[in-house]
Amino acid sequence: MQKIDKILVGTHNKGKFIEISSLLPEKIKKISPIDLGIKSPIENGKTFEENSEIKANFFCKNSKLVTLSDDSGLEIKSLNGDPGILSSRFAEDLGGFNSAMIKILEKVKNQNKGTDAQFVSSLTIQWPNGKKITETGIIKGNITDIRGKNGFGYDPIFKPIGYSKTFAEMDYHEKLKIDHRQIAYQKLYKKIKVYF
Ligand code: ITT
């Protein structure tokens, strides 16, 4: 069995790249598709798992490197799971995360059906021979007013259950210990640690 000494971290999102790189063992070299000039694929899957596999397959085929990709998003119960797999596009269409968060707060308030939400992350590792493994992690929490400056994306409006801080008020290590990506990674790690 061939040990993994380098991994393409298949994302164009800088916040994700930092988090995924920190989850992986230090001795493994992490490579960004941006540095290799590889663009993003079209994400036309219907689930986080499908989109994660689309990304891993695309980046793996284009780099010929073992690739780890993530598809993730914020699901809000009172909004029937929105923005969900369209979390990135929702922010893009509104011109950025600040406007997207303001819009979400307005919608949640108008619905008046509570603030329950969850972050979901599906991680896929794919080898150049086509072998792939996908695992999903979920962290439940509540939507709050915009608080904190750390992290990325929707971190300022998400407070995990059992904590008083939003993800953006936590320092990076604190968030990374508990978040959806860590939960997905722990499941994946059990299956791939033999390659490290
Ligand atoms: P890649 O496809 O290149 O990985 P992306 O940002 O488009 O980058 P997604 O399609 O998976 O990634 O979209 C996920 C969205 O959910 C994106 O807008 C993120 O900012 C947001 N998101 C995911 N995990 C998050 C986290 O831990 N904290 C805050 N926002 C998060």
Side-chain angles (χ1 to χ4, degrees):
M1 180 213 324
Q2 206 179 345
K3 296 276 181 187
I4 298 171
D5 59 354
K6 55 177 182 272
I7 281 192
L8 186 90
V9 179
T11 179
H12 276 250
N13 179 317
K14 292 201 175 74
K16 274 195 203 177
F17 184 88
I18 293 170
E19 284 202 5
I20 296 169
S21 297
S22 311
L23 291 167
L24 288 163
E26 216 170 308
K27 65 179 181 187
I28 291 179
K29 185 167 184 220
K30 292 91 183 172
I31 300 165
S32 160
I34 299 169
D35 295 338
L36 300 182
I38 304 173
K39 296 214 165 69
S40 294
I42 294 167
E43 294 173 33
N44 51 9
K46 291 191 173 58
T47 60
F48 291 110
E49 284 84 0
E50 278 177 23
N51 280 335
S52 175
E53 290 180 4
I54 287 169
K55 288 183 218 183
N57 186 48
F58 176 87
F59 288 123
C60 182
K61 286 213 164 116
N62 281 284
S63 67
K64 314 254 185 313
L65 295 170
V66 178
T67 297
L68 181 60
S69 281
D70 159 289
D71 195 64
S72 45
L74 179 63
E75 294 187 325
I76 301 170
K77 200 172 172 190
S78 68
L79 307 181
N80 300 317
D82 281 349
I85 61 165
L86 299 176
S87 293
S88 184
R89 229 162 299 165
F90 183 73
E92 220 171 83
D93 290 349
L94 288 167
F97 282 96
N98 211 44
S99 312
M101 290 190 289
I102 290 168
K103 189 70 173 175
I104 284 175
L105 292 177
E106 191 185 304
K107 285 181 174 224
V108 167
K109 200 171 164 208
N110 287 343
Q111 284 294 323
N112 199 22
K113 286 188 193 155
T115 58
D116 290 359
Q118 60 187 25
F119 261 125
V120 184
S121 160
S122 289
L123 289 176
T124 302
I125 184 165
Q126 182 165 327
W127 282 260
N129 68 7
K131 177 184 161 75
K132 65 170 187 240
I133 308 171
T134 301
E135 291 292 350
T136 297
I138 293 177
I139 181 160
K140 292 185 179 295
N142 291 277
I143 298 299
T144 69
D145 286 338
I146 296 172
R147 283 180 2 215
K149 298 236 176 296
N150 302 330
F152 65 97
Y154 298 99
D155 281 341
I157 55 166
F158 184 83
K159 187 174 74 63
I161 287 174
Y163 293 81
S164 56
K165 292 180 194 168
T166 64
F167 269 169
E169 289 175 310
M170 294 181 180
D171 85 25
Y172 151 74
H173 296 285
E174 200 178 352
K175 178 195 171 195
L176 197 60
K177 262 190 232 159
I178 59 165
D179 77 0
H180 43 311
R181 216 159 275 110
Q182 172 73 259
I183 294 167
Y185 183 74
Q186 286 311 318
K187 292 187 193 172
L188 197 61
Y189 180 74
K190 284 192 192 127
K191 299 181 179 172
I192 61 174
K193 62 181 179 201
V194 290
Y195 296 97
F196 292 157

